[in-house]
Structures are given as C-alpha cells and as structure tokens.
Amino acid sequence: MVTIYERKPGLSRRELLKRGGASALLVISGSAVISPQHAWGLETSALKPETMVTLIQMARDIYPHDQVPDKYYAIAVKSHDEQAGKDPAHKDLIENGIADLDKKAGSGGYRGLGWEEQRVALLKDIEASPFFQAVRGGLVVSLYNQKEVWPIFGYEGESYSKGGYIARGFDDIEWL
C-alpha cells in the first residue's frame, strides 16, 4: 500500500530551519534576550528587550555576514543599552529610532518584514538620520573589534607583537 501525502501551502518546519541560517529565533523574557538554539542570552538594563532584538536584526542588515552568529551582533549593540543607562538623550534616540523604523515598516514592524531587501530599503531611507548613524558608527568598532570573530574572517590579528607582517606574509590577503 502506498500513501500519498499532500503538501500543505506555506513553509514546512524543515524548510523553515533550512532558511534560518546563522540567524535564529530570539526569545524575549523579562528584561533579557535569549537564543535557546545557540545557548546565549543578553540582559538589558535601560533599553527594552524588543528594542535590543530589533537592533540585533538591524546590525545584521547593516553588516551582513551569514557566518557570524547573532551572539556577536548582540555583543556589538549592547553598548547602546549601556550608554542609554547613562545618557537619557541616547536612550530616547535609540527607542524613538526603533519606534519610527517599526512604524515605517507597517504592521509587524521592522523584524516582521520577511525579506532582507525590504529591511535594507527601509534602512536606506533613514541612513542620513542621527539614529542610523549612531547605530552604524558604533557597529564599525564594536562588531569588528571582537577577537572572537576574527577567525571567522581568517584575520590573525595584529602582527607587531609577532614580528610584523614582513616576516608573516604581508602580501597574503586570503582573509580579505
């Protein structure tokens, strides 16, 4: 006897997991953002956890690296939560910027947009804003200065303490 299964419209669980890639489901619990799949969490003190999750997605859209887990993007945007705790103006800038971004995205907000192209188009619309510049500017340093991500890109780190680049393949740019 042969059983024929009818395929239902939409994504199967398997297809959803295949498309998930490095970005996984982030769970908001109280004042924390948790990634149960990758076993890490981030506690917020000044910004709303929803804001932090949106900042993580925004960071991934600004500097997209599929091979870099969300954990490192979370570490990179954590400084906004720390600064918001010290500076009410920065807290307002970030919270209002995220609220405006969610409003422009429509129902479901920025994170609810299913396609990266849609999110990037929204970011291009606000790229001159102080909010976007604050997030982007902080990411340049806070994402790429994490020693844990260097091996992902094949970067060996500074060379001075190891005798410089001349003796260590200064013209080897495989990591670029």
Side-chain angles (χ1 to χ4, degrees):
M1 178 176 174
V2 176
T3 306
I4 299 174
Y5 293 98
E6 185 177 319
R7 184 173 166 111
K8 296 178 183 175
L11 290 177
S12 67
R13 180 176 180 272
R14 181 171 298 195
E15 186 65 27
L16 178 66
L17 291 174
K18 268 199 266 182
R19 291 183 184 186
S23 181
L25 175 69
L26 298 179
V27 177
I28 297 170
S29 176
S31 65
V33 176
I34 302 167
S35 174
Q37 182 181 6
H38 293 89
W40 64 264
L42 173 73
E43 190 167 355
T44 62
S45 57
L47 297 174
K48 294 184 271 187
E50 296 84 3
T51 299
M52 291 301 290
V53 173
T54 304
L55 278 174
I56 293 167
Q57 181 62 59
M58 188 177 165
R60 182 169 283 288
D61 291 336
I62 293 172
Y63 293 109
H65 299 289
D66 291 339
Q67 70 275 29
V68 177
D70 284 339
K71 170 185 173 180
Y72 300 111
Y73 286 99
I75 292 169
V77 297
K78 176 67 175 158
S79 62
H80 289 291
D81 183 55
E82 294 164 356
Q83 189 175 351
K86 299 173 191 169
D87 181 8
H90 187 74
K91 180 178 180 175
D92 289 343
L93 176 72
I94 299 299
E95 291 286 0
N96 293 338
I98 293 294
D100 185 50
L101 194 59
D102 283 340
K103 184 178 175 183
K104 289 177 191 240
S107 77
Y110 180 78
R111 288 181 287 139
L113 293 174
W115 300 101
E116 181 180 1
E117 294 83 18
Q118 293 171 309
R119 293 189 307 269
V120 170
L122 274 177
L123 293 177
K124 285 184 179 186
D125 288 343
I126 66 162
E127 69 183 337
S129 72
F131 161 67
F132 180 85
Q133 292 301 318
V135 173
R136 185 201 55 80
L139 280 172
V140 169
V141 175
S142 59
L143 180 61
Y144 297 113
N145 270 1
Q146 296 179 55
K147 289 184 180 182
E148 294 82 11
V149 301
W150 293 353
I152 295 171
F153 298 117
Y155 177 59
E156 298 173 358
E158 60 83 22
S159 185
Y160 177 76
S161 65
K162 299 170 187 130
Y165 286 112
I166 299 292
R168 295 184 62 241
F170 76 96
D171 58 350
D172 175 17
I173 60 168
E174 291 179 25
W175 63 270
L176 191 60

